[in-house]
Coordinates of all heavy atoms in Angstrom, one line a residue:
K1127 N 56.6 -74.2 170.5 CA 56.9 -73.0 171.0 C 58.4 -72.9 171.3 O 59.0 -73.6 171.9 CB 56.0 -72.6 172.3 CG 56.3 -71.2 172.8 CD 55.4 -71.0 174.0 CE 55.5 -69.5 174.4 NZ 54.7 -69.2 175.5
T1128 N 59.0 -71.8 170.7 CA 60.4 -71.5 170.7 C 60.9 -71.0 172.1 O 60.0 -70.2 172.8 CB 60.9 -70.7 169.6 OG1 60.4 -69.4 169.8 CG2 60.5 -71.3 168.3
I1129 N 62.0 -71.3 172.4 CA 62.6 -70.6 173.5 C 63.9 -69.8 173.0 O 64.5 -70.4 172.0 CB 62.9 -71.6 174.6 CG1 64.0 -72.7 174.2 CG2 61.8 -72.2 175.3 CD1 64.5 -73.5 175.5
K1130 N 64.2 -68.9 173.7 CA 65.4 -68.1 173.3 C 66.3 -67.8 174.6 O 65.6 -67.3 175.6 CB 65.1 -66.9 172.5 CG 66.3 -65.9 172.0 CD 65.7 -64.8 171.2 CE 66.6 -63.9 170.7 NZ 66.2 -62.8 169.9
V1131 N 67.5 -68.2 174.5 CA 68.5 -67.9 175.7 C 69.7 -67.5 175.2 O 70.2 -67.8 174.2 CB 68.5 -69.2 176.5 CG1 67.2 -69.7 177.2 CG2 69.2 -70.3 175.7
Q1132 N 70.3 -66.5 176.1 CA 71.7 -66.2 175.9 C 72.5 -66.8 177.0 O 72.1 -66.5 178.3 CB 71.9 -64.7 175.9 CG 73.3 -64.3 175.6 CD 73.5 -62.8 175.6 OE1 72.5 -62.0 175.7 NE2 74.8 -62.3 175.3
I1133 N 73.5 -67.5 176.6 CA 74.0 -68.5 177.7 C 75.5 -68.9 177.2 O 75.7 -69.0 176.1 CB 73.1 -69.6 177.9 CG1 73.4 -70.5 179.2 CG2 73.1 -70.6 176.6 CD1 72.3 -71.2 179.7
P1134 N 76.4 -69.2 178.2 CA 77.7 -69.6 177.8 C 77.6 -71.3 177.4 O 76.6 -71.9 177.9 CB 78.5 -69.5 179.1 CG 77.6 -69.1 180.1 CD 76.3 -68.8 179.6
L1135 N 78.5 -71.5 176.5 CA 78.5 -72.9 176.1 C 79.2 -73.8 177.2 O 80.3 -73.5 177.7 CB 79.1 -73.1 174.8 CG 78.5 -72.5 173.6 CD1 79.4 -72.5 172.4 CD2 77.1 -73.1 173.3
A1136 N 78.7 -75.0 177.5 CA 79.3 -75.9 178.5 C 80.0 -77.0 177.8 O 81.1 -77.5 178.3 CB 78.3 -76.6 179.4
E1137 N 79.6 -77.4 176.6 CA 80.4 -78.5 175.7 C 80.1 -78.0 174.3 O 79.1 -77.5 173.9 CB 79.8 -79.8 176.0 CG 80.0 -80.4 177.4 CD 79.3 -81.7 177.4 OE1 79.5 -82.5 176.5 OE2 78.8 -82.0 178.4
V1138 N 81.1 -78.4 173.4 CA 80.9 -78.2 172.0 C 81.4 -79.4 171.3 O 82.4 -80.0 171.7 CB 81.9 -77.1 171.5 CG1 81.8 -76.9 170.0 CG2 81.5 -75.8 172.2
R1139 N 80.6 -80.0 170.5 CA 80.9 -81.2 169.7 C 80.6 -80.9 168.3 O 79.5 -80.9 167.7 CB 80.0 -82.4 170.1 CG 80.5 -82.8 171.5 CD 79.5 -84.0 171.9 NE 78.2 -83.7 172.1 CZ 77.7 -83.1 173.1 NH1 78.5 -82.6 174.1 NH2 76.3 -82.7 173.1
Y1140 N 81.6 -80.5 167.5 CA 81.5 -80.1 166.1 C 81.9 -81.3 165.3 O 83.0 -81.5 165.0 CB 82.5 -78.9 165.8 CG 82.1 -77.9 164.7 CD1 81.2 -77.0 164.9 CD2 82.7 -78.1 163.5 CE1 81.0 -76.1 163.8 CE2 82.4 -77.3 162.4 CZ 81.5 -76.2 162.6 OH 81.1 -75.4 161.6
R1141 N 80.8 -82.0 164.9 CA 81.1 -83.3 164.1 C 79.8 -83.6 163.2 O 78.8 -82.9 163.4 CB 81.3 -84.3 165.1 CG 80.1 -84.6 166.1 CD 80.2 -85.6 167.0 NE 79.0 -85.8 168.0 CZ 79.1 -86.2 169.1 NH1 80.1 -86.7 169.7 NH2 78.0 -86.3 169.7
N1142 N 80.0 -84.4 162.4 CA 78.9 -85.0 161.6 C 78.1 -86.1 162.3 O 78.6 -86.6 163.2 CB 79.3 -85.4 160.3 CG 79.7 -84.4 159.2 OD1 78.9 -83.5 159.1 ND2 80.9 -84.5 158.8
P1143 N 76.8 -86.2 162.1 CA 75.9 -85.5 161.0 C 75.5 -84.1 161.5 O 75.2 -83.4 160.5 CB 74.8 -86.4 160.8 CG 74.6 -87.0 162.2 CD 75.9 -87.2 162.9
H1144 N 75.4 -83.8 162.8 CA 75.0 -82.5 163.1 C 76.1 -82.0 164.3 O 76.5 -82.8 165.2 CB 73.7 -82.4 163.8 CG 72.5 -82.7 162.8 ND1 72.1 -84.0 162.5 CD2 71.9 -81.8 161.9 CE1 71.2 -84.0 161.8 NE2 71.0 -82.8 161.2
A1145 N 76.4 -80.8 164.2 CA 77.1 -80.2 165.3 C 76.2 -80.1 166.6 O 74.9 -80.1 166.4 CB 77.7 -78.9 165.0
E1146 N 76.7 -80.2 167.8 CA 75.9 -80.2 169.1 C 76.8 -79.3 170.0 O 77.9 -79.3 170.0 CB 75.7 -81.5 169.5 CG 75.1 -82.5 168.7 CD 75.2 -83.9 169.1 OE1 75.9 -84.2 169.9 OE2 74.6 -84.7 168.4
V1147 N 75.9 -78.7 170.9 CA 76.6 -78.0 171.9 C 75.6 -78.3 173.3 O 74.6 -78.9 173.1 CB 76.5 -76.4 171.9 CG1 77.5 -76.0 170.7 CG2 75.2 -75.8 171.6
A1148 N 76.3 -78.1 174.5 CA 75.5 -78.4 175.6 C 75.4 -77.0 176.5 O 76.4 -76.2 176.4 CB 76.0 -79.4 176.4
I1149 N 74.5 -76.7 177.1 CA 74.3 -75.6 177.9 C 73.7 -76.0 179.3 O 72.9 -76.9 179.4 CB 73.3 -74.4 177.4 CG1 71.9 -75.1 177.0 CG2 74.0 -74.0 176.0 CD1 70.9 -74.1 176.6
D1150 N 74.0 -75.3 180.4 CA 73.3 -75.5 181.6 C 72.4 -74.4 181.8 O 72.6 -73.2 181.8 CB 74.4 -75.3 182.7 CG 75.5 -76.5 182.7 OD1 75.1 -77.6 182.4 OD2 76.7 -76.2 182.9
Y1151 N 71.0 -75.0 181.8 CA 69.8 -74.0 181.8 C 68.8 -74.7 182.6 O 68.6 -75.9 182.6 CB 69.4 -74.0 180.3 CG 68.1 -73.2 180.1 CD1 68.1 -71.8 180.3 CD2 67.0 -73.7 179.5 CE1 66.9 -71.2 180.1 CE2 65.8 -73.0 179.3 CZ 65.9 -71.6 179.6 OH 64.8 -71.0 179.4
Q1152 N 68.1 -73.8 183.6 CA 67.1 -74.3 184.4 C 67.6 -75.5 185.3 O 66.8 -76.3 185.5 CB 65.7 -74.6 183.7 CG 65.3 -73.4 183.0 CD 64.0 -73.7 182.3 OE1 63.7 -74.8 181.8 NE2 63.1 -72.7 182.0
G1153 N 68.8 -75.5 185.7 CA 69.3 -76.6 186.6 C 69.6 -77.9 186.0 O 69.7 -78.8 186.6
K1154 N 69.6 -77.9 184.6 CA 69.8 -79.1 184.0 C 70.9 -78.9 182.7 O 71.1 -77.7 182.3 CB 68.5 -79.7 183.3 CG 67.6 -80.1 184.2 CD 66.3 -80.6 183.4 CE 65.1 -80.9 184.3 NZ 64.0 -81.1 183.6
R1155 N 71.5 -79.9 182.3 CA 72.4 -79.9 181.1 C 71.5 -80.2 180.0 O 71.0 -81.3 179.9 CB 73.5 -80.9 181.3 CG 74.4 -81.0 180.1 CD 75.4 -80.0 179.8 NE 76.2 -79.5 180.9 CZ 77.5 -79.5 181.2 NH1 78.2 -80.3 180.4 NH2 78.0 -78.9 182.3
W1156 N 71.4 -79.2 179.0 CA 70.6 -79.4 177.8 C 71.5 -79.5 176.7 O 72.5 -79.0 176.6 CB 69.9 -78.1 177.4 CG 68.6 -77.8 178.6 CD1 68.7 -77.6 179.8 CD2 67.3 -77.8 178.2 NE1 67.5 -77.3 180.4 CE2 66.7 -77.5 179.4 CE3 66.6 -77.8 177.0 CZ2 65.3 -77.4 179.5 CZ3 65.2 -77.9 177.0 CH2 64.5 -77.6 178.2
E1157 N 71.1 -80.5 175.9 CA 71.7 -80.8 174.6 C 71.1 -79.8 173.5 O 69.8 -79.8 173.5 CB 71.6 -82.3 174.2 CG 72.3 -83.2 175.1 CD 73.8 -82.9 175.2 OE1 74.5 -82.7 174.2 OE2 74.3 -83.0 176.3
V1158 N 71.8 -79.2 172.7 CA 71.3 -78.4 171.7 C 71.9 -78.9 170.4 O 73.1 -78.9 170.2 CB 71.8 -76.9 171.8 CG1 71.2 -76.1 170.7 CG2 71.3 -76.3 173.3
I1159 N 70.9 -79.3 169.5 CA 71.3 -80.0 168.1 C 71.2 -78.7 167.2 O 70.3 -78.0 167.0 CB 70.2 -80.8 167.8 CG1 69.9 -82.0 168.8 CG2 70.6 -81.6 166.4 CD1 71.1 -82.7 169.3
L1160 N 72.4 -78.6 166.5 CA 72.6 -77.4 165.6 C 72.3 -78.0 164.2 O 71.3 -78.6 163.9 CB 74.0 -76.9 165.7 CG 74.5 -76.2 167.1 CD1 75.8 -75.9 167.2 CD2 73.4 -75.3 167.6
A1161 N 73.1 -77.7 163.3 CA 73.0 -78.2 161.9 C 74.2 -78.8 161.5 O 75.1 -78.9 162.0 CB 72.8 -76.8 160.9
P1162 N 74.1 -79.4 160.2 CA 75.2 -80.1 159.6 C 76.4 -79.1 159.5 O 76.1 -77.9 159.2 CB 74.8 -80.6 158.2 CG 73.4 -80.9 158.4 CD 72.9 -79.8 159.4
I1163 N 77.5 -79.6 159.7 CA 78.6 -78.5 159.8 C 78.8 -77.9 158.4 O 79.3 -76.8 158.4 CB 80.0 -79.3 160.2 CG1 80.4 -80.4 159.5 CG2 79.9 -79.6 161.8 CD1 81.7 -81.1 160.0
N1164 N 78.7 -78.6 157.3 CA 78.9 -78.0 156.0 C 77.8 -76.8 156.0 O 78.1 -75.7 155.4 CB 78.7 -78.9 154.8 CG 79.7 -79.9 154.6 OD1 80.8 -79.6 155.1 ND2 79.4 -80.9 154.0
R1165 N 76.5 -77.0 156.4 CA 75.7 -75.9 156.2 C 76.1 -74.7 157.1 O 76.0 -73.5 156.8 CB 74.3 -76.3 156.7 CG 73.1 -75.2 156.7 CD 71.9 -75.8 157.2 NE 71.5 -76.9 156.5 CZ 70.6 -77.7 156.9 NH1 69.9 -77.6 158.1 NH2 70.1 -78.9 156.3
M1166 N 76.6 -75.0 158.4 CA 77.0 -73.9 159.3 C 78.2 -73.1 158.7 O 78.2 -71.9 158.7 CB 77.2 -74.5 160.6 CG 76.1 -74.9 161.4 SD 76.2 -75.2 163.1 CE 77.8 -75.9 163.4
E1167 N 79.1 -73.9 158.1 CA 80.3 -73.2 157.6 C 79.8 -72.4 156.3 O 80.4 -71.1 156.1 CB 81.4 -74.3 157.3 CG 82.0 -74.9 158.5 CD 83.0 -76.0 158.1 OE1 83.1 -76.3 157.0 OE2 83.6 -76.4 159.2
N1168 N 79.0 -72.9 155.5 CA 78.5 -72.1 154.3 C 77.8 -70.9 154.7 O 77.6 -69.9 154.1 CB 77.7 -73.0 153.4 CG 78.5 -74.2 152.7 OD1 79.6 -74.1 152.5 ND2 77.7 -75.2 152.2
R1169 N 77.3 -70.9 155.9 CA 76.4 -69.7 156.3 C 77.4 -68.9 157.2 O 76.8 -68.0 157.9 CB 75.2 -70.1 157.0 CG 74.3 -70.8 156.0 CD 73.0 -71.3 156.5 NE 72.2 -72.0 155.6 CZ 71.0 -72.5 155.9 NH1 70.4 -72.4 157.0 NH2 70.3 -73.0 154.8
G1170 N 78.5 -69.1 157.3 CA 79.6 -68.2 158.0 C 79.8 -68.5 159.4 O 80.2 -67.7 160.2
L1171 N 79.6 -69.7 159.8 CA 79.8 -70.1 161.3 C 81.0 -71.3 161.2 O 80.6 -72.5 161.2 CB 78.6 -70.6 162.0 CG 78.8 -70.8 163.5 CD1 79.1 -69.6 164.1 CD2 77.6 -71.6 164.0
P1172 N 82.2 -70.9 161.3 CA 83.3 -71.9 161.3 C 83.4 -72.6 162.6 O 82.9 -72.1 163.7 CB 84.5 -71.2 161.0 CG 84.2 -69.8 161.5 CD 82.8 -69.6 161.2
A1173 N 84.0 -73.6 162.7 CA 84.3 -74.5 163.9 C 84.9 -73.6 165.1 O 84.4 -73.8 166.2 CB 85.2 -75.6 163.7
D1174 N 85.8 -72.7 164.7 CA 86.5 -72.0 165.9 C 85.6 -71.0 166.4 O 86.0 -70.3 167.4 CB 87.7 -71.5 165.4 CG 87.6 -70.5 164.2 OD1 86.6 -70.3 163.7 OD2 88.7 -70.0 163.8
A1175 N 84.4 -70.7 165.9 CA 83.5 -69.7 166.4 C 82.7 -70.2 167.7 O 82.3 -69.5 168.5 CB 82.5 -69.4 165.3
L1176 N 82.8 -71.6 167.9 CA 82.1 -72.1 169.0 C 83.1 -72.7 170.0 O 83.8 -73.5 169.6 CB 81.0 -73.2 168.6 CG 80.0 -72.8 167.7 CD1 79.2 -74.0 167.3 CD2 79.0 -71.7 168.3
K1177 N 83.2 -72.1 171.2 CA 84.2 -72.6 172.2 C 83.4 -72.6 173.5 O 82.5 -71.9 173.8 CB 85.3 -71.6 172.3 CG 86.0 -71.3 171.0 CD 87.5 -71.2 171.3 CE 88.3 -71.0 169.9 NZ 88.5 -72.2 169.1
V1178 N 83.8 -73.6 174.4 CA 83.4 -73.7 175.7 C 83.5 -72.4 176.5 O 84.6 -71.9 176.3 CB 84.0 -74.9 176.4 CG1 83.7 -74.9 177.9 CG2 83.7 -76.2 175.8
G1179 N 82.5 -71.9 177.1 CA 82.6 -70.7 177.9 C 82.0 -69.5 177.1 O 81.8 -68.5 177.8
K1180 N 82.0 -69.6 175.8 CA 81.6 -68.4 175.0 C 80.1 -68.3 175.1 O 79.3 -69.1 175.0 CB 82.1 -68.7 173.6 CG 81.6 -67.4 172.7 CD 82.2 -67.8 171.2 CE 82.7 -66.4 170.8 NZ 83.3 -66.7 169.5
S1181 N 79.6 -67.0 175.3 CA 78.3 -66.8 175.4 C 77.7 -66.5 174.1 O 78.0 -65.7 173.2 CB 77.9 -65.6 176.3 OG 76.6 -65.3 176.5
I1182 N 76.6 -67.4 173.7 CA 75.8 -67.2 172.5 C 74.4 -67.1 172.7 O 73.9 -67.5 173.9 CB 76.1 -68.4 171.5 CG1 75.5 -69.7 172.0 CG2 77.7 -68.5 171.4 CD1 75.6 -70.8 171.0
T1183 N 73.6 -66.7 171.8 CA 72.1 -66.7 171.9 C 71.6 -67.8 171.0 O 72.0 -68.1 169.8 CB 71.6 -65.3 171.4 OG1 72.0 -64.4 172.1 CG2 69.9 -65.5 171.5
I1184 N 70.9 -68.7 171.7 CA 70.2 -69.8 171.0 C 68.7 -69.8 170.9 O 68.1 -69.4 171.9 CB 70.4 -71.2 171.7 CG1 72.0 -71.4 171.7 CG2 69.8 -72.3 171.0 CD1 72.4 -72.5 172.7
E1185 N 68.1 -69.8 169.7 CA 66.7 -69.9 169.6 C 66.1 -71.1 169.0 O 66.7 -71.5 167.9 CB 66.1 -68.7 168.7 CG 64.7 -68.5 168.8 CD 64.2 -67.2 168.1 OE1 65.0 -66.4 167.7 OE2 63.1 -67.2 167.9
G1186 N 65.3 -71.9 169.6 CA 64.9 -73.0 169.0 C 63.8 -73.7 169.7 O 63.1 -73.2 170.5
Y1187 N 63.5 -75.1 169.3 CA 62.3 -75.8 169.9 C 62.8 -76.8 170.9 O 63.6 -77.6 170.6 CB 61.6 -76.5 168.7 CG 60.8 -75.6 167.9 CD1 61.5 -75.2 166.8 CD2 59.6 -75.0 168.2 CE1 60.9 -74.2 165.8 CE2 59.0 -74.1 167.1 CZ 59.7 -73.8 166.1 OH 59.1 -72.9 165.1
P1188 N 62.2 -76.8 172.2 CA 62.6 -77.8 173.1 C 61.7 -79.1 172.8 O 60.7 -79.0 172.2 CB 62.1 -77.3 174.4 CG 61.2 -76.1 174.2 CD 61.5 -75.7 172.7
R1189 N 62.3 -80.2 173.2 CA 61.5 -81.4 173.0 C 60.2 -81.5 173.8 O 60.1 -80.9 175.0 CB 62.3 -82.7 173.4 CG 63.3 -83.0 172.3 CD 64.1 -84.2 172.6 NE 63.2 -85.5 172.9 CZ 63.6 -86.6 172.8 NH1 64.8 -87.1 172.3 NH2 62.8 -87.6 173.2
K1190 N 59.1 -81.9 173.3 CA 57.8 -81.8 174.0 C 57.8 -82.9 175.1 O 56.9 -82.7 175.8 CB 56.6 -82.2 172.9 CG 56.5 -81.1 171.9 CD 55.5 -81.4 171.0 CE 55.4 -80.2 169.9 NZ 54.3 -80.6 168.9
D1191 N 58.6 -83.9 175.0 CA 58.4 -85.1 176.1 C 59.1 -84.6 177.4 O 59.3 -85.4 178.3 CB 58.9 -86.3 175.5 CG 60.5 -86.3 175.3 OD1 61.1 -85.3 175.5 OD2 61.0 -87.4 174.8
G1192 N 59.8 -83.4 177.4 CA 60.5 -82.9 178.8 C 61.9 -83.2 178.6 O 62.7 -82.8 179.6
T1193 N 62.5 -84.1 177.7 CA 63.9 -84.3 177.6 C 64.6 -82.9 177.4 O 64.1 -82.2 176.6 CB 64.2 -85.1 176.5 OG1 63.5 -86.4 176.6 CG2 65.7 -85.5 176.3
P1194 N 65.7 -82.7 178.2 CA 66.4 -81.3 178.1 C 67.2 -81.2 176.8 O 68.4 -81.4 176.8 CB 67.3 -81.2 179.4 CG 67.4 -82.7 179.7 CD 66.3 -83.5 179.3
E1195 N 66.6 -81.1 175.7 CA 67.1 -81.1 174.3 C 66.5 -80.0 173.4 O 65.2 -79.8 173.6 CB 67.1 -82.4 173.7 CG 67.6 -82.4 172.3 CD 67.7 -83.8 171.6 OE1 68.4 -84.7 172.1 OE2 66.7 -84.0 170.8
I1196 N 67.1 -79.3 172.8 CA 66.6 -78.2 172.0 C 67.1 -78.4 170.5 O 68.3 -78.6 170.2 CB 67.1 -76.7 172.4 CG1 66.5 -76.4 173.8 CG2 66.7 -75.6 171.5 CD1 67.4 -75.2 174.5
R1197 N 66.2 -78.2 169.5 CA 66.6 -78.2 168.3 C 66.7 -76.7 167.8 O 65.8 -76.0 167.7 CB 65.6 -79.0 167.3 CG 66.1 -78.9 165.8 CD 64.9 -79.5 165.0 NE 64.2 -78.4 164.3 CZ 63.2 -78.4 163.8 NH1 62.4 -79.5 163.7 NH2 62.5 -77.3 163.4
A1198 N 68.0 -76.2 167.5 CA 68.2 -74.9 167.3 C 67.7 -74.5 165.9 O 68.1 -75.2 164.9 CB 69.6 -74.6 167.6
E1199 N 67.0 -73.3 165.8 CA 66.6 -72.8 164.5 C 67.6 -71.7 164.0 O 67.9 -71.5 162.9 CB 65.3 -72.2 164.6 CG 64.1 -73.2 164.8 CD 64.0 -74.2 163.7 OE1 63.9 -73.6 162.4 OE2 63.9 -75.2 163.9
R1200 N 68.2 -70.9 165.1 CA 69.2 -70.0 164.7 C 70.1 -69.7 165.9 O 69.5 -69.9 167.1 CB 68.5 -68.5 164.3 CG 67.7 -67.9 165.3 CD 66.8 -66.9 164.6 NE 65.9 -67.2 163.6 CZ 64.8 -68.0 163.6 NH1 64.3 -68.2 165.0 NH2 64.2 -68.2 162.6
I1201 N 71.2 -69.3 165.8 CA 72.1 -68.9 166.9 C 72.8 -67.5 166.5 O 73.0 -67.2 165.4 CB 73.2 -70.0 167.2 CG1 74.1 -70.3 166.1 CG2 72.5 -71.4 167.7 CD1 75.2 -71.3 166.4
T1202 N 73.2 -66.9 167.4 CA 73.8 -65.7 167.4 C 75.1 -65.7 168.1 O 75.3 -65.9 169.3 CB 73.1 -64.4 167.9 OG1 71.8 -64.4 167.3 CG2 73.8 -63.2 167.6
V1203 N 76.4 -65.7 167.4 CA 77.7 -65.7 167.8 C 78.4 -64.4 167.4 O 78.5 -64.1 166.2 CB 78.3 -66.9 167.2 CG1 79.8 -66.9 167.8 CG2 77.5 -68.2 167.5
D1204 N 79.1 -63.8 168.4 CA 79.8 -62.5 168.2 C 78.9 -61.4 167.2 O 79.4 -60.9 166.5 CB 81.0 -62.8 167.3 CG 82.0 -63.7 168.2 OD1 81.9 -63.6 169.3 OD2 82.8 -64.5 167.6
G1205 N 77.7 -61.4 167.6 CA 76.7 -60.4 167.0 C 76.2 -60.9 165.6 O 75.5 -60.1 165.0
K1206 N 76.6 -62.0 165.1 CA 76.1 -62.5 163.9 C 75.1 -63.6 164.0 O 75.4 -64.6 164.7 CB 77.3 -63.0 163.0 CG 76.9 -63.6 161.7 CD 78.0 -64.0 160.9 CE 77.5 -64.7 159.5 NZ 78.6 -64.8 158.6
T1207 N 74.0 -63.4 163.5 CA 73.0 -64.4 163.6 C 73.0 -65.5 162.3 O 73.0 -65.0 161.2 CB 71.5 -63.8 163.7 OG1 71.4 -63.0 164.8 CG2 70.4 -64.9 163.7
V1208 N 73.0 -66.7 162.6 CA 73.0 -67.6 161.6 C 71.8 -68.6 161.6 O 71.5 -69.1 162.7 CB 74.3 -68.6 161.7 CG1 74.3 -69.7 160.8 CG2 75.6 -67.8 161.8
E1209 N 71.1 -68.6 160.5 CA 70.0 -69.5 160.4 C 70.4 -70.9 160.1 O 71.2 -71.1 159.2 CB 69.0 -69.1 159.2 CG 68.5 -67.6 159.4 CD 67.4 -67.5 160.5 OE1 66.7 -68.6 160.8 OE2 67.2 -66.4 161.1
L1210 N 69.9 -71.8 160.9 CA 70.5 -73.2 160.8 C 69.5 -74.2 160.0 O 69.8 -75.3 159.7 CB 70.7 -73.8 162.3 CG 71.6 -73.1 163.1 CD1 71.6 -73.6 164.6 CD2 72.9 -73.1 162.5
R1211 N 68.2 -73.8 159.9 CA 67.3 -74.6 159.1 C 67.1 -74.2 157.7 O 67.2 -73.2 157.3 CB 66.1 -74.8 159.9 CG 66.1 -75.2 161.3 CD 66.5 -76.7 161.3 NE 66.9 -77.2 162.6 CZ 68.0 -77.8 162.9 NH1 68.7 -78.4 162.0 NH2 68.4 -78.1 164.2

């Protein structure tokens, strides 16, 4: 089951093999796995679009084992939705 949150970014790691961000959600620090940076850039999401403190919308699948981690399917930054998968 997917979750969808609009939330400010607490950390940004724009690196291979996948970009990652962290959010503070439900009293925990959640890791959010994005897509390979080449895919994100090809779909119109450059590195400078993700900054600590910037509010974005994340939609994705949380881990079933309770670990605070989300595999993002899509994110919306500055009104633009980017499909990550």
